Amino acid sequence: MTSVSQYQTWVHQRSSAGQSLVLPDGCRDVIVFHGGPDQCRVILTELDFTPRQVWHGSDVSMTGYRLRPGTTVPETALRAIKECSADAAQILEVEQSDGGSIDAVIAALSNTAETICSVVKNSGVSARTLQRQFRKLGLPAPEYWRLLGRARRAAQLLAQTPCLSQIAADCGYSDQAHMTREFKRWFGKAPAQLRQDQDAMNALAQPALGNWTGEQISIR
């Protein structure tokens, strides 16, 4: 992935049909499909709450623009990209919506050291007001960002820390069993199983919620 101010760019190409694993990451992607029956198609992905498999046709290439966690783009930008996909980067720089203070709140919620109460206190608004702000922007409730961010940060530690109980403690889970339940919810696998799944670990290393400025890798 190539670091850009408001999004990360990735490219994926397939010569044969197949499936790809998509894990919840707190990000929407603008994806431009080239080839196939539609020739050029542009979509804005939704936020995922569970892992899913995505089917890809043969001889299709995709250029994706992963938006910052919690942000989106207007329909006008998607139409402009479809008309001239070569200008997608410039269009997104101009038209991507600004999350403003919500960006900072989402980043705080994904920090394993934070709680809803501490984030609310630091944001200077009530919990109810914060809930309304998220709903107004069409975003999942703050608890979504807290739980997903914690699970993603814990999953990223699998490659560094062999002791699962230590990861659970460091990330604020009540015990290892609690962490295992959350991993199965978000990633479909227990921590030990996820650690052995290199494709999933690669996906978790890509910039997303809890790791927006982390290691950058290409999707091919």
Side-chain angles (χ1 to χ4, degrees):
M1 287 191 171
T2 302
S3 178
V4 187
S5 58
Q6 303 298 318
Y7 53 84
Q8 305 281 349
T9 306
W10 54 266
V11 176
H12 184 67
Q13 296 177 319
R14 292 192 71 101
S15 58
S16 59
Q19 289 184 322
S20 296
L21 175 66
V22 175
L23 297 175
D25 58 19
C27 298
R28 289 186 173 96
D29 291 59
V30 174
I31 304 179
V32 182
F33 294 83
H34 299 279
D38 296 331
Q39 293 304 312
C40 182
R41 183 164 60 99
V42 179
I43 67 168
L44 174 65
T45 64
E46 295 296 331
L47 295 173
D48 289 301
F49 289 76
T50 57
R52 60 189 173 93
Q53 293 285 345
V54 177
W55 174 262
H56 301 297
S58 59
D59 297 320
V60 174
S61 66
M62 292 171 277
T63 301
Y65 303 87
R66 179 163 301 164
L67 310 181
R68 292 189 329 275
T71 61
T72 187
V73 295
E75 184 66 30
T76 53
L78 300 179
R79 290 197 296 267
I81 291 171
K82 182 173 177 58
E83 292 175 3
C84 186
S85 60
D87 293 337
Q90 293 88 335
I91 292 168
L92 288 173
E93 283 288 355
V94 172
E95 297 204 46
Q96 185 179 178
S97 63
D98 182 8
S101 61
I102 289 295
D103 284 351
V105 172
I106 288 176
L109 288 167
S110 71
N111 188 329
T112 56
E114 298 284 1
T115 64
I116 294 288
C117 290
S118 65
V119 172
V120 166
K121 181 178 179 180
N122 291 332
S123 68
V125 299
S126 68
R128 184 169 297 180
T129 298
L130 195 62
Q131 291 272 6
R132 284 199 298 267
Q133 289 176 346
F134 275 77
R135 284 198 300 270
K136 184 177 180 180
L137 293 171
L139 297 175
E143 188 71 352
Y144 166 89
W145 305 97
R146 186 183 73 84
L147 295 179
L148 175 57
R150 179 172 64 176
R152 288 185 58 85
R153 286 180 182 272
Q156 289 155 15
L157 292 175
L158 292 175
Q160 308 167 25
T161 306
C163 181
L164 295 179
S165 60
Q166 184 62 52
I167 295 175
D170 290 345
C171 292
Y173 291 104
S174 57
D175 53 31
Q176 187 176 326
H178 180 200
M179 183 173 73
T180 295
R181 290 193 298 272
E182 287 295 294
F183 269 50
K184 288 181 177 180
R185 168 188 175 179
W186 293 108
F187 311 129
K189 293 185 177 184
Q193 295 172 315
L194 190 65
R195 179 182 272 156
Q196 300 302 316
D197 188 334
Q198 193 57 54
D199 288 341
M201 292 299 292
N202 287 341
L204 287 164
Q206 296 166 20
L209 180 66
N211 189 39
W212 184 246
T213 58
E215 179 184 358
Q216 299 173 10
I217 58 175
S218 298
I219 304 175
R220 295 290 180 183

